[in-house]
Amino acid sequence: MAAGLDPPRSVVTHSHWLMESQKMSKSKGNVVDPFDRIQRYSADGLRYFLLKHGVLETDGDYSDEKVLKVLNADLAGNIGGLLNRCLATSLNPTQTFPAFSVDLFPVHHGSKSNSLATEDDYRLLKTLQDLPGLVDQHYENFHIYKVLEETMLCVKQANGFVQRHKPWKLGNTPQDQQWASTILHVAMETLRVSGILLQPVMPTLMSRLLGRLGIKETERLWSNAEDVPCLEGRGAGYVGRTLGTGTGVLFQRLQKEN
């Protein structure tokens, strides 16, 4: 007020953090050095855990065991595992963003007799379509943990979609190849949208993910996440584009330290 600025209309504060269900205390020595944990888990990894478990309504409970479990499951396993599948040269030998077949995956369920998509597949597309609006509402309400939960659930659905159709078992017929391309397209679209929505939480990691998918920096806006061309039977401008040159896993699986 002394500076002539209007006071804030609201103040958002998180609850206390406990250490293995105990109050942190210097005398007990059960404190956490954030700089040490950043070196161990990366800044994005630590931020992800804190925002997922640091809710506004109740105290957060920190333990290194929980961090390992969450990051290995969500970042190394769920989103990292899906990316590895999509970029494998055995499934994507041309290393390009694959095309989507509206004949094999029509916009409307049951509209074409040669459709190979199941009811569960359409549920995935519906989840992907609704995700930006849902996540936007959670961001506005400062419920970041809900942002992470909803996004990871969508990625989990995409993993189930790939596992259900097993593109690595398809043959070499034109239809098989079109269907394999469509499976990868849907999975990579899920990663693209999720990567854009998670940028505020994990800017460095999601920049790497989007770069691996060949998504340009000018194509990483919120409006880009809201635009999923295959949902309307449209072609995407990035289809056929060469993927990024990054190598290695997205997030290295963490090992328990002795």
Side-chain angles (χ1 to χ4, degrees):
M1 296 176 67
L5 301 175
D6 293 334
R9 296 180 180 178
S10 61
V11 177
V12 178
T13 60
H14 63 75
S15 302
H16 292 290
W17 273 98
L18 306 176
M19 178 63 171
E20 297 181 347
S21 303
Q22 299 290 324
K23 183 179 179 181
M24 291 190 190
S25 169
K26 288 184 178 180
S27 60
K28 291 182 179 180
N30 62 341
V31 294
V32 179
D33 182 349
F35 297 103
D36 173 74
R37 295 319 192 270
I38 286 174
Q39 292 296 319
R40 190 182 303 181
Y41 307 128
S42 79
D44 278 3
L46 182 61
R47 188 186 304 110
Y48 179 89
F49 174 82
L50 295 177
L51 289 174
K52 184 170 184 177
H53 286 267
V55 302
L56 301 180
E57 296 83 5
T58 59
D59 290 342
D61 189 18
Y62 181 94
S63 76
D64 288 316
E65 184 177 352
K66 284 184 177 181
V67 177
L68 261 68
K69 184 177 181 180
V70 168
L71 299 189
N72 282 341
D74 291 359
L75 304 188
N78 196 17
I79 198 167
L82 184 60
L83 181 65
N84 288 342
R85 277 179 162 178
C86 293
L87 301 189
T89 54
S90 57
L91 291 182
N92 192 342
T94 63
Q95 290 295 284
T96 57
F97 204 108
F100 179 88
S101 171
V102 294
D103 291 326
L104 301 180
F105 202 144
V107 174
H108 302 292
H109 185 30
S111 61
K112 292 188 178 181
S113 59
N114 58 339
S115 171
L116 297 178
T118 68
E119 191 170 335
D120 284 337
D121 301 341
Y122 281 93
R123 289 195 187 98
L124 168 59
L125 291 192
K126 175 62 173 168
T127 300
L128 189 60
Q129 182 179 38
D130 294 342
L131 189 63
L134 191 61
V135 164
D136 181 51
Q137 182 179 354
H138 291 325
Y139 271 129
E140 289 293 327
N141 293 332
F142 301 102
H143 290 154
I144 311 303
Y145 71 99
K146 291 185 179 180
V147 169
L148 306 182
E149 287 177 354
E150 295 291 349
T151 306
M152 285 299 162
L153 281 174
C154 185
V155 175
K156 188 175 182 179
Q157 276 186 263
N159 268 306
F161 167 71
V162 174
Q163 185 64 34
R164 183 163 57 250
H165 292 292
K166 298 178 173 56
W168 53 87
K169 287 190 174 182
L170 294 174
N172 293 318
T173 68
Q175 178 173 288
D176 282 344
Q177 292 301 298
Q178 281 188 332
W179 182 231
S181 177
T182 300
I183 294 168
L184 291 182
H185 180 96
V186 172
M188 290 169 70
E189 276 291 75
T190 303
L191 288 171
R192 181 185 69 85
V193 172
S194 299
I196 293 173
L197 300 181
L198 292 178
Q199 286 179 114
V201 177
M202 298 180 288
T204 301
L205 198 63
M206 292 304 100
S207 177
R208 285 177 53 201
L209 182 147
L210 293 168
R212 296 281 294 277
L213 296 176
I215 304 302
K216 300 175 182 178
E217 291 188 7
T218 55
E219 300 170 330
R220 303 178 185 184
L221 304 176
W222 195 272
S223 58
N224 297 123
E226 295 175 316
D227 182 24
V228 184
C230 67
L231 295 175
E232 301 173 0
R234 296 184 288 111
Y238 37 84
V239 165
R241 182 184 297 170
T242 301
L243 301 178
T245 57
T247 58
V249 298
L250 179 69
F251 188 87
Q252 188 68 45
R253 184 169 291 275
L254 300 166
Q255 301 297 326
K256 186 175 181 179
E257 295 190 357
N258 296 325

